[in-house]
Amino acid sequence: DYQFSNMMNPWTRPLQRTWPMLLLLSRRSISVAFCHIESSRSGGRHHKKLFGTSTTSEFTEALPFSNVPEVSIAIEAVRKAAKITEKIQKTIDTKGTLTKDDESPVTVGDFACQAIVLQHLRNNLPDGVTKTFLAEEKSSNLTPVLTEQILNAVSDTTSINDEETLRDCIDLGQSFFDADTIPSQFFCLDPIDGTKGFLRKEQYCIALGLLEDGVPKVAVLACPNLPFEDDEEDSLDARVGCIFVACKGQGCYQLDMEGKVEPKRIGEGYNAEPPLANKARFCVGVEQGFGDPTGKAKVMAQELHGSLDEATDDIKYATRIDSQAKYGLVARGGGEFYVRLPRLDYEEWMWDVAPGVLVLQESGGIITDANGNDLDFTCGGKLSSNYGVLGARTKPLYDDLLAAYRSANH
């Protein structure tokens, strides 16, 4: 088991009603929360979410690696931020959004989440643990309108209550670039992975990873809108929101958003047996234009499945959602294949890949670039020596997926 050297689908668009309730009473803690009973606009389904005031619990402490400060503090940080991003997502509009130089959107939620997570890590990580961060957003992109909206969203529940503090916390994410050489240990963060899904009020993910000497060691993926169980999607009592946590050499676990449910080990030996490749499910992005602009994933799926879906001319067995939540789905057995094939000249940022990679690896999955090479996290902020990402639940399925990709290239 790894010991740190420092020892340290758019399922619902909800309408909500809020009811106060007693959440947890134990010898250690009393927590009062609100239970949101959400009714879908389509089909009248109801989904339960629990929002509490605390970020730790005895259930979180039950993780086999919870004694590693980096893990428990990372979980606390994303839970704290998720409470804010969920509120922002319900009311966000075009005034809370801008387009960056690379044509990608950024929202009030991105900036708020980054400030909250990085401030929490800086203030709570013990001495001897890295406080070097690589994160997506920069305060130089803030506008007066966005700044006001962010402070309105976070000032009541955090100590971020003025523009100077906000900018300081956001720009902690640039400390990776302050060193003369690539830091040997650092956190990477995508505060809102799947921004377009966030704007559609669908799936998004807070993706946080810790890397050491080019190897992902800790990963936390918080997916506030993802059903807790795949088979609960259409249930009247469906639970919504989950966190995937992985620690190198110690497995992958699924938690609920508030730590009210015992952690669930996921992965090989814990999930149901996967189907053969001809029925294996692809987890791919909602918008083909970025993650598969040439349609190669469809060609691969057609070869593996024998045909495309007749009604949609799309992949026959597929889940299309935004963000690194796809890695979590594959890790828990909600899909078999992960495919990301952007344009050939695109270099992936570390924060878009590293957290999800460890979640899939620690669940027993296999993941490489599109050419079958190991992913190289030692090249700086980007994976400049790799193209694309292919992942699968098992080695036999991975071999089938890689063969299909190579066939599609000829």
Side-chain angles (χ1 to χ4, degrees), residues 28-46:
R28 295 190 185 183
S29 64
I30 300 174
S31 179
V32 177
F34 294 92
C35 178
H36 286 238
I37 307 300
E38 302 188 344
S39 63
S40 168
R41 292 175 182 170
S42 58
R45 298 192 300 270
H46 292 77

Side-chain angles (χ1 to χ4, degrees), residues 197-208:
F198 184 77
L199 289 169
R200 291 194 302 269
K201 296 181 171 56
E202 296 172 349
Q203 298 299 329
Y204 71 97
C205 172
I206 302 172
L208 178 62

Side-chain angles (χ1 to χ4, degrees), residues 251-262:
C252 184
Y253 290 77
Q254 180 176 305
L255 288 63
D256 65 313
M257 290 301 298
E258 291 297 334
K260 307 301 185 290
V261 179
E262 186 172 356

Side-chain angles (χ1 to χ4, degrees), residues 232-283:
E232 288 186 343
E233 177 184 341
D234 296 313
S235 169
L236 293 176
D237 295 317
R239 296 167 292 173
V240 178
C242 54
I243 300 174
F244 301 97
V245 183
C247 189
K248 183 69 173 178
Q250 299 190 54
C252 184
Y253 290 77
Q254 180 176 305
L255 288 63
D256 65 313
M257 290 301 298
E258 291 297 334
K260 307 301 185 290
V261 179
E262 186 172 356
K264 176 184 177 182
R265 181 74 184 263
I266 59 175
E268 190 174 8
Y270 298 88
N271 301 337
E273 286 296 313
L276 297 176
N278 65 342
K279 293 290 180 67
R281 297 159 292 178
F282 280 68
C283 285

